[in-house]
Amino acid sequence: MDNPLSSPPNYRTLSEQLQNHVQESELNLRESEERYHKMIEEVQDYAILLLDIDGNIQNWNRGAQKIKGYTEKEIVGRNFRVFYLDSDREDQLPERLINEAYTTGRATHEGWRLRSDGTTFWGSVVITGLHDADNNIIGFSKVTRDLTERKLAEDQIQEYARSIELRNKQLEEYAYIASHDLQEPLRKIQVFAEMLHNNLDDKEAALRHLDRISASAKRMSQLIKDVLKYSQVSVTEELFEDVCLNQVFEGIKEDFDLLILEKGVTIKTKGLGTVKGIPIQIHQLFNNLMGNAIKFCSQTPLIKVSAQPLSAFMAAQYPELRQEHNYTIITFKDNGQGFDPQYADQVFKMFKRLTNNAGTGIGLALCKKIVEHHGGHISVVSQPGVGTTFTIILPVD
């Protein structure tokens, strides 16, 4: 009886089996690679590229053509720098991304990219280093996604947020106007109404008081109209117009005429022209300064307001000013109580008061805000018992 263990092995059968297994593995590998390349080629939501070590494009899928606009024939062989804006190329952004991917294995970035027709899209980019068996970089994969719709939606949300913030600030200003700027005309109406009541038998005096009440009411009405106009315009640039400072001060003197008469205030103006500004805010600015000057006046109060063109030499001393504009420099000087010079920077801070006099402490903070909103500059110098001088720089064009 033959022993099966002693039978010679069938090497031909084993070889055929091994060869069949290798062929089957190679077939499966080719099919897997074909499916992978087919998948890459067919993807339309992502631009998937292979780059050589220098960033030259080696392949092109449908997503790349859809997002960037180039055909495979037009783009293969060109450097991926072609997708970047001129400013990004000057800043060497493509090279920096390649270097980062070479050094760390991966680089990501979001920004505006160029299509073949010159239009732009917001691209999210991931560049990954490709390594050989010895872990040497042999090229890069680059995946780009078009996120323009998301970017535009985010920008819109930010614009809404800025608009809401602006509206909130405007509401603060409206509240201040209602509680401060409108108080003086209202007080005059109340005073002259009482005087009218006490002089009903004196027709001439009664008519005079009625005229003053009517003038104060018109003044209040104009202020309210200006506030409403300010609140209804979303783009503040539309509110800027030529504002005659002489007219502004005539209106302010009319607002304070009772206090001016009561305290014997002398007001002198010189050289006041026009500025480019928002009328209601320019009124607020000088109304606050006038109110402070009268409130802290001396025994013989004197207020001097003068203006002159700001020279180019002087303008250069204020880096926040735009050199292409012309400006006027306005000096608002009183001989009132004054304050210690060390507090000059603090007077413009919100809710900061240097005395125990009644007040909210936001008037001068609002003055600074208004001047800055107009692209100007405001500063103050003062001496106790001597007086205070505000220097205001505003654009005239």
Side-chain angles (χ1 to χ4, degrees):
M1 184 175 179
D2 294 335
N3 184 355
L5 295 177
S6 61
S7 302
N10 190 340
Y11 291 108
R12 178 176 296 180
T13 301
L14 289 175
S15 177
E16 290 176 353
Q17 289 176 347
L18 182 60
Q19 185 176 1
N20 289 337
H21 181 71
V22 170
Q23 291 175 347
E24 183 178 352
S25 297
E26 290 177 346
L27 178 62
N28 290 335
L29 181 59
R30 284 197 300 270
E31 290 177 347
S32 177
E33 289 179 349
E34 288 175 1
R35 286 195 299 269
Y36 174 76
H37 289 297
K38 192 70 173 175
M39 177 190 70
I40 297 297
E41 181 184 349
E42 296 291 336
V43 169
Q44 297 191 29
D45 292 332
Y46 294 84
I48 304 175
L49 317 179
L50 289 179
L51 308 178
D52 67 15
I53 196 69
D54 296 318
N56 299 312
I57 299 165
Q58 303 296 299
N59 78 319
W60 198 244
N61 74 329
R62 291 190 181 183
Q65 182 168 338
K66 177 183 176 182
I67 293 173
K68 300 176 184 290
Y70 295 93
T71 63
E72 184 175 8
K73 185 177 180 181
E74 292 173 325
I75 199 64
V76 169
R78 298 178 66 180
N79 195 277
F80 83 114
R81 297 179 81 254
V82 71
F83 305 134
Y84 290 79
L85 304 178
D86 289 341
S87 57
D88 289 334
R89 290 198 289 265
E90 291 174 3
D91 196 36
Q92 295 190 326
L93 176 61
E95 288 81 2
R96 286 191 284 112
L97 292 176
I98 281 287
N99 288 336
E100 183 180 348
Y102 186 93
T103 304
T104 68
R106 189 170 183 267
T108 62
H109 188 265
E110 285 194 12
W112 293 107
R113 299 290 183 266
L114 283 173
R115 297 189 181 95
S116 62
D117 60 2
T119 60
T120 58
F121 68 96
W122 186 263
S124 174
V125 178
V126 179
I127 301 176
T128 305
L130 303 178
H131 301 78
D132 61 13
D134 296 324
N135 204 34
N136 296 313
I137 292 285
I138 58 174
F140 305 92
S141 69
K142 179 175 178 290
V143 179
T144 302
R145 187 178 181 187
D146 183 356
L147 297 179
T148 305
E149 291 186 4
R150 191 201 71 181
K151 171 62 175 174
L152 294 177
E154 289 177 350
D155 288 349
Q156 188 65 61
I157 291 172
Q158 291 178 0
E159 182 62 31
Y160 288 151
R162 284 192 294 267
S163 179
I164 291 172
E165 182 180 4
L166 174 62
R167 290 300 181 188
N168 286 336
K169 291 180 179 178
Q170 288 176 338
L171 285 173
E172 293 176 6
E173 294 174 8
Y174 306 153
Y176 183 80
I177 294 170
S179 65
H180 185 273
D181 293 36
L182 299 178
Q183 289 298 313
E184 200 57 38
L186 180 60
R187 190 176 77 88
K188 288 174 62 177
I189 291 174
Q190 293 169 335
V191 169
F192 287 118
E194 184 177 349
M195 294 173 67
L196 173 62
H197 181 268
N198 295 332
N199 291 273
L200 290 177
D201 295 333
D202 186 342
K203 183 177 180 181
E204 184 177 345
L207 290 175
R208 188 167 60 250
H209 298 327
L210 280 173
D211 288 342
R212 301 299 294 274
I213 290 172
S214 177
S216 296
K218 288 179 180 178
R219 182 68 182 155
M220 271 192 84
S221 177
Q222 185 59 50
L223 285 172
I224 292 171
K225 288 178 181 178
D226 288 343
V227 173
L228 289 175
K229 178 183 177 182
Y230 182 51
S231 68
Q232 290 168 357
V233 178
S234 58
V235 182
T236 56
E237 284 77 3
E238 298 176 11
L239 293 165
F240 280 76
E241 58 184 74
D242 289 331
V243 181
C244 176
L245 293 181
N246 281 309
Q247 292 181 2
V248 170
F249 274 94
E250 287 304 313
I252 292 173
K253 285 190 284 187
E254 184 179 330
D255 290 343
F256 288 103
D257 63 352
L258 288 179
L259 279 175
I260 290 172
L261 183 62
E262 176 186 333
K263 295 193 174 187
V265 180
T266 300
I267 299 174
K268 295 182 179 181
T269 59
K270 179 183 177 182
L272 302 183
T274 62
V275 296
K276 184 68 71 174
I278 300 174
I280 184 64
Q281 290 195 347
I282 298 298
H283 173 270
Q284 280 182 277
L285 169 63
F286 292 107
N287 184 284
N288 286 334
L289 295 179
M290 185 70 76
N292 273 355
I294 295 175
K295 182 189 300 183
F296 304 113
C297 67
S298 63
Q299 294 298 320
T300 55
L302 174 63
I303 298 173
K304 294 182 179 180
V305 187
S306 60
Q308 63 181 9
L310 183 71
S311 67
F313 174 77
M314 292 182 66
Q317 301 177 39
Y318 301 95
E320 68 270 33
L321 301 182
R322 296 178 62 177
Q323 299 303 313
E324 67 269 24
H325 290 317
N326 294 315
Y327 294 85
T328 184
I329 181 168
I330 304 161
T331 303
F332 192 104
K333 183 177 182 180
D334 67 56
N335 63 344
Q337 297 177 13
F339 56 84
D340 194 308
Q342 65 176 313
Y343 299 117
D345 292 334
Q346 297 188 34
V347 299
F348 296 113
K349 294 181 179 179
M350 189 70 76
F351 306 119
K352 183 66 178 180
R353 293 185 294 166
L354 302 184
T355 72
N356 293 323
N357 288 277
T360 61
I362 68 173
L364 292 179
L366 184 57
C367 287
K368 182 176 176 65
K369 180 179 177 183
I370 289 171
V371 172
E372 290 177 346
H373 186 204
H374 284 73
H377 176 86
I378 185 171
S379 59
V380 61
V381 293
S382 188
Q383 287 289 338
V386 176
T388 302
T389 300
F390 288 91
T391 300
I392 304 105
I393 300 174
L394 293 172
V396 297
D397 57 20

